[in-house]
Amino acid sequence: MNSKKSNYPGLQVDQSNFFSKDLGLMSFFVVLKLILPFFLVNSIYELHRDEFLHLDQANHLAWGFQSVPPVTSIFALLIKFLGGCEVVVRLVSAAIGATTLIFTWKIVEELKGDLYAKVLSAVALICCAIGRLDLLFQPNAFDILSWTAIYFFLIKYFNTKSNRFLYLTAVALGIGFLNKYSISFLIVGLIPGLLVSNQRLIFKNKHLYFAGLVALLIMLPNLLWQYYNDFPVVWHMKELAKTQLDKIDRIDFLKEQLLYFICVIFIVSAGIITLIFHKTFKNYRWIIIGFFISLAFFTWFRAKAYYAAGLYPVIIAAGCVYFDFALTIGWKKYLKILLIILPIGLFSLTLKFAYPILSPQQIIERHEKFSNIGLLRWEDGKQHDLPQDFADMQGWKEIATLTDIAYEGVKDKSAVLVRADNYGEAGAINYYSRFKNINAVAYNADYLNWFKLDKPIKHLILIREFGEEDPQRKKEQPYFRKITKIGEVKAPYAREKGTSVFLLEDANIDINSRIKSEIKEAKHDN
């Protein structure tokens, strides 16, 4: 029987069927990754607030947006091309996560791990918070993929000394930057990590700098867009810091790192310890040095816990490789089965907390349990009935239906403007509405740039959040012949509960000029 000798004592692999098993098992986990979202989301939930904005970007392609760089809009265009239904949205997000799984699988291979380590890495990725981030159509899933691809190409470069992997690293970095600017935190960690490691000779390679130029050229269109639009990312970050990040405690950020990877914490811990101390991994010390530097910067800037998720696939890969060669002799090899079962068992216990599997009523019945682990505290720092993400996945179809009723009642649809209070409402209306040209907008996020005012506006459909002053629209009564409240959101646990839809007909003032003035004021405030 032919066999290949492993780099680690006691580990032998049958070469005759190794590749068929490798490909077969990897394919199994990829398919599993693709279908899992359809079992992990209760049918009572709709798409998430943020997903609607990203999906709407497909209708306004540009080299940049106020909220994110342009890559998400390309995926949104793909989703639109494939029909745009919720199944396609879930499938595209899952496919991005499946690609991360493949890159992690290949990192394990580069670290000389065998089939067991690859399987363990796939199980770990599915059973940790990275699987949760892959569930929603947001930049986060591709962000993790970009970071993992960069690690893989760098490791491949150091293993082969082939310069083409530096250029592939540059492409992954450039595209990753066009997806989410937080990839800068990875570079902030990698550069000093490489400088102080025994791989510092990379900085004497001229191809590193040529590759850097390639990355810069990929980033350039977005950088120019930022310049010509007065760097909206700066204002976006200031607003984020003022409304959300200032409420994040640095200690809580670190605690959440443990919580996010609690089901695979033994693998993460093994990866960290191995990269620090094990002599077999001395050529990969730059990974762990960069990990701690990037994590420190995230902590200092009060980042959201999931911003750092891209740091972990390579750590998980290292931990899986360690267990692969450490548990090969005698009775220890039987622990390998336990290490596969343990993450799955812990994952099954945390499913109902991490994923929207339970209905809102079932969560209310378990209120104390959800509260005790901090899942009911929202970005406003207050306790609520549901986790914020779950509350952000309800009420949207109701808003769209009410808006359709109002829109249907207007004869001259070319003279009507649908104006929402926030990007979630505007995006949900554009996604769920029966009228595909309804073009709902709002005075925040990217919708500020998507108003169509080329024709005179005579009618307004207003979507106003619950608790907003002037519920009877007395402010607008002098300017419209008729004001009708169409209805309000009744979903009891939706974040948008109480949001009302109004139809304002036959304006007696110049609505276009007034809206232009309000847009200018909103842009100044933003």
Side-chain angles (χ1 to χ4, degrees):
M1 180 174 64
N2 294 327
S3 64
K4 66 175 183 179
K5 188 174 180 180
S6 168
N7 285 14
Y8 305 111
L11 189 61
Q12 297 255 317
V13 180
D14 183 1
Q15 196 175 36
S16 61
N17 62 3
F18 174 78
F19 292 106
S20 60
K21 282 185 177 180
D22 187 279
L23 182 60
L25 282 169
M26 184 174 70
S27 299
F28 166 78
F29 282 108
V30 167
V31 172
L32 179 62
K33 187 73 176 173
L34 292 176
I35 65 174
L36 266 179
F38 303 101
F39 295 95
L40 298 177
V41 180
N42 191 305
S43 60
I44 199 171
Y45 296 102
E46 300 159 14
L47 294 181
H48 185 275
R49 171 191 301 269
D50 292 347
E51 291 181 283
F52 296 119
L53 170 61
H54 301 313
L55 290 168
D56 222 354
Q57 288 169 349
N59 303 312
H60 308 273
L61 295 178
W63 276 111
F65 299 93
Q66 181 172 325
S67 52
V68 292
V71 161
T72 310
S73 67
I74 304 302
F75 283 109
L77 187 64
L78 173 63
I79 290 170
K80 183 179 179 180
F81 176 77
L82 294 174
C85 65
E86 291 184 14
V87 171
V88 174
V89 176
R90 297 268 184 255
L91 199 57
V92 168
S93 300
I96 296 171
T99 309
T100 300
L101 186 150
I102 293 171
F103 269 104
T104 307
W105 188 283
K106 302 304 287 185
I107 288 175
V108 170
E109 189 174 278
E110 288 303 310
L111 297 178
K112 303 299 184 289
D114 284 304
L115 192 56
Y116 171 81
K118 295 174 182 178
V119 169
L120 184 59
S121 73
V123 170
L125 285 185
I126 290 172
C127 294
C128 69
I130 289 174
R132 175 70 175 83
L133 294 172
D134 293 338
L135 192 68
L136 302 180
F137 180 60
Q138 296 176 333
N140 303 318
F142 194 82
D143 189 45
I144 298 169
L145 170 57
S146 301
W147 291 46
T148 308
I150 288 171
Y151 279 118
F152 169 72
F153 290 130
L154 278 177
I155 292 170
K156 193 75 174 175
Y157 165 74
F158 289 123
N159 286 350
T160 65
K161 301 304 179 184
S162 174
N163 290 320
R164 69 188 178 97
F165 291 108
L166 288 179
Y167 292 99
L168 288 171
T169 300
V171 172
L173 173 59
I175 297 175
F177 181 86
L178 293 181
N179 172 73
K180 198 172 182 183
Y181 300 122
S182 61
I183 202 167
S184 304
F185 284 82
L186 171 61
I187 305 306
V188 166
L190 279 179
I191 291 175
L194 288 167
L195 279 170
V196 302
S197 73
N198 59 1
Q199 301 289 9
R200 67 181 68 89
L201 289 177
I202 190 175
F203 292 100
K204 292 185 177 181
N205 186 343
K206 64 181 180 181
H207 289 281
L208 175 67
Y209 304 99
F210 291 144
L213 287 176
V214 170
L216 184 60
L217 286 173
I218 295 173
M219 300 173 189
L220 188 59
N222 178 253
L223 293 174
L224 291 174
W225 182 91
Q226 287 285 343
Y227 174 77
Y228 286 114
N229 288 274
D230 298 322
F231 291 96
V233 64
V234 176
W235 300 104
H236 178 69
M237 291 306 300
K238 285 183 178 179
E239 180 67 17
L240 194 64
K242 183 171 62 176
T243 60
Q244 297 179 21
L245 301 185
D246 66 322
K247 299 178 178 66
I248 296 175
D249 183 86
R250 294 187 177 98
I251 299 300
D252 287 342
F253 169 84
L254 295 174
K255 288 179 179 177
E256 287 177 355
Q257 299 303 302
L258 296 175
L259 182 63
Y260 278 14
F261 296 93
I262 192 66
C263 296
V264 295
I265 195 64
F266 61 96
I267 298 176
V268 173
S269 300
I272 292 173
I273 294 170
T274 297
L275 287 168
I276 294 174
F277 298 108
H278 203 289
K279 62 181 181 180
T280 306
F281 290 85
K282 64 181 179 180
N283 290 331
Y284 306 109
R285 296 278 189 264
W286 55 274
I287 295 175
I288 198 63
I289 296 170
F291 170 84
F292 283 118
I293 293 174
S294 295
L295 200 63
F297 272 88
F298 275 127
T299 306
W300 177 257
F301 285 102
R302 300 178 186 271
K304 296 179 182 180
Y306 64 82
Y307 285 11
L311 291 168
Y312 288 91
V314 69
I315 303 296
I316 287 172
C320 292
V321 173
Y322 170 76
F323 284 123
D324 190 5
F325 70 75
L327 304 177
T328 57
I329 302 173
W331 63 271
K332 291 182 180 180
K333 62 185 178 182
Y334 297 106
L335 290 177
K336 286 188 171 184
I337 300 174
L338 177 61
L339 292 185
I340 293 286
I341 295 174
L342 185 57
I344 297 173
L346 292 173
F347 180 62
S348 65
L349 294 176
T350 61
L351 269 179
K352 61 186 178 183
F353 300 105
Y355 290 84
I357 294 177
L358 300 179
S359 68
Q361 190 56 47
Q362 289 173 316
I363 294 175
I364 296 299
E365 293 170 359
R366 297 164 175 80
H367 185 275
E368 187 174 351
K369 290 183 179 179
F370 276 80
S371 179
N372 287 341
I373 57 178
L375 294 177
L376 301 181
R377 182 170 62 86
W378 290 8
E379 289 172 344
D380 61 8
K382 299 178 181 178
Q383 293 285 323
H384 295 266
D385 290 328
L386 297 186
Q388 181 171 318
D389 278 346
F390 299 0
D392 270 335
M393 297 171 73
Q394 296 182 85
W396 305 114
K397 290 181 180 178
E398 200 172 346
I399 291 174
T401 298
L402 292 171
T403 303
D404 279 354
I405 293 172
Y407 193 74
E408 205 165 26
V410 179
K411 292 182 179 180
D412 185 6
K413 291 180 173 50
S414 65
V416 63
L417 176 72
V418 181
R419 201 192 81 201
D421 258 359
N422 61 63
Y423 65 82
E425 295 163 356
I429 292 167
N430 292 334
Y431 182 79
Y432 286 121
S433 174
R434 292 183 289 109
F435 302 94
K436 296 307 175 186
N437 296 318
I438 196 166
N439 193 42
V441 287
Y443 284 153
N444 71 344
D446 300 299
Y447 288 98
L448 276 169
N449 300 313
W450 296 345
F451 279 75
K452 294 182 179 179
L453 301 173
D454 52 329
K455 295 181 180 180
I457 303 299
K458 301 299 293 183
H459 318 288
L460 285 180
I461 297 175
L462 295 181
I463 296 87
R464 307 313 303 253
E465 296 175 1
F466 174 75
E468 194 265 350
E469 294 180 3
D470 195 12
Q472 302 303 317
R473 312 316 313 160
K474 293 180 181 179
K475 178 181 178 182
E476 288 91 359
Q477 285 178 5
Y479 310 120
F480 291 87
R481 180 183 62 82
K482 183 180 180 182
I483 297 179
T484 306
K485 182 177 180 179
I486 304 300
E488 63 182 51
V489 175
K490 302 294 186 183
Y493 304 112
R495 192 174 174 186
E496 294 288 332
K497 179 186 176 184
T499 292
S500 301
V501 177
F502 297 89
L503 173 59
L504 289 65
E505 300 178 86
D506 298 326
N508 55 31
I509 61 170
D510 184 356
I511 295 295
N512 293 60
S513 296
R514 183 163 183 170
I515 289 174
K516 288 177 182 177
S517 176
E518 290 174 347
I519 290 173
K520 185 177 180 180
E521 183 179 346
K523 285 184 175 180
H524 180 268
D525 290 341
N526 286 341

